[in-house]
Amino acid sequence: QSALTQPPSASGSPGQSVTISCTGTSSDVGGYEYVSWYQQHPGKAPKLMIYDVTKRPSGVPDRFSGSKSGNTASLTVSGLQTEDEADYYCSSYAGTNNRGVFGGGTKLTVL
Amino acid sequence: QVQLQESGPGLVKPSETLSLTCAVSGYSIISNYYWGWVRQPPGKGLEWIATIHHSGSADYNPSLKSRVKISVETSRNQFSLKVNSVTAADTAVYYCARDIQVSATFDYWGQGTLVTVSS
């Protein structure tokens, strides 16, 4: 059982927007501004898409955005493209004794 | 360009020790940042294992801490992972990655290496 809860699946049509949630507790997501999101295509290593809740690494399209409210973080993908179809994982800092806890992952399907 | 490459045995027997090394190129591990390991069992999600600073200061996933050791070899610009007393549950793709801050935030990843625990 993962520390953070994500829906197993999400979907949208090309051009639409989709939001993936990541629910934790006040000891992780709600307690720190250290939520990250990763994209993983089959057989590939994860790719950092969002960090520190809202920041995008260089090269990540601005179609990807992050937010947080209370103990739930969200990743929004706007203007869906076929290449966005992948698994998405959230992670959060959980204190000095646990630098990183991950969600179980969400499979995003672009219909 | 920062590159990481995992190496180590692909098959380990139950109760033995899993040992992996991550060679870093294009960046000196003593320049900045932290360095860590993440694993992914087949068909399952990601799990943070451990992170180390070039000074030797390390943090571990509490659920694995008793069986895991991470170390750094600055002269070779590489870092390593050992997991002892392995079981089938340790079968996974093991990734090494650069950790940019205190929160296990990984911006560069190796390609991953599958380690199977089986007799």
Side-chain angles (χ1 to χ4, degrees):
Chain A
Q1 185 176 355
S2 302
L4 306 180
T5 300
Q6 297 181 235
S9 63
S11 64
S13 299
Q16 289 186 333
S17 294
V18 64
T19 297
I20 299 170
S21 64
C22 170
T23 302
T25 69
S26 58
S27 296
D28 38 63
V29 174
Y32 308 95
E33 299 302 302
Y34 286 133
V35 175
S36 299
W37 289 91
Y38 298 87
Q39 176 191 67
Q40 187 180 36
H41 288 108
K44 300 296 186 181
K47 176 184 177 182
L48 181 65
M49 305 301 283
I50 297 287
Y51 69 102
D52 293 355
V53 181
T54 61
K55 297 177 182 177
R56 274 189 314 276
S58 175
V60 173
D62 60 7
R63 302 186 294 104
F64 292 85
S65 62
S67 63
K68 191 185 81 163
S69 177
N71 297 335
T72 298
S74 298
L75 172 72
T76 298
V77 186
S78 305
L80 274 173
Q81 299 183 3
T82 55
E83 58 262 37
D84 298 334
E85 185 163 294
D87 293 326
Y88 290 84
Y89 294 91
C90 64
S91 74
S92 174
Y93 182 67
T96 55
N97 292 323
N98 200 354
R99 290 173 72 111
V101 292
F102 281 94
T106 298
K107 182 176 182 59
L108 174 61
T109 301
V110 181
L111 303 170
Chain B
Q1 176 74 344
V2 181
Q3 293 185 318
L4 298 92
Q5 179 67 59
E6 305 90 350
S7 62
L11 181 65
V12 181
K13 290 182 170 56
S15 80
E16 296 190 343
T17 297
L18 178 162
S19 296
L20 296 172
T21 296
C22 181
V24 180
S25 59
Y27 191 87
S28 172
I29 62 173
I30 66 172
S31 294
N32 203 348
Y33 302 130
Y34 302 80
W35 306 89
W37 292 92
V38 175
R39 71 181 183 180
Q40 184 172 35
K44 296 188 178 180
L46 302 169
E47 181 180 38
W48 170 67
I49 303 172
T51 292
I52 193 166
H53 187 258
H54 67 78
S55 65
S57 172
D59 292 305
Y60 296 92
N61 185 319
S63 68
L64 298 170
K65 187 173 184 177
S66 63
R67 298 193 296 124
V68 171
K69 173 76 172 178
I70 189 172
S71 60
V72 63
E73 198 169 356
T74 56
S75 60
R76 293 190 174 188
N77 215 44
Q78 64 185 32
F79 59 105
S80 300
L81 177 74
K82 292 186 185 297
V83 182
N84 58 40
S85 304
V86 297
T87 69
D90 294 307
T91 293
V93 174
Y94 285 76
Y95 295 100
C96 62
R98 188 175 79 170
D99 186 347
I100 62 174
Q101 55 191 20
V102 69
S103 58
T105 303
F106 300 103
D107 65 343
Y108 284 95
W109 295 66
Q111 64 185 25
T113 186
L114 174 63
V115 179
T116 302
V117 178
S118 175
S119 55

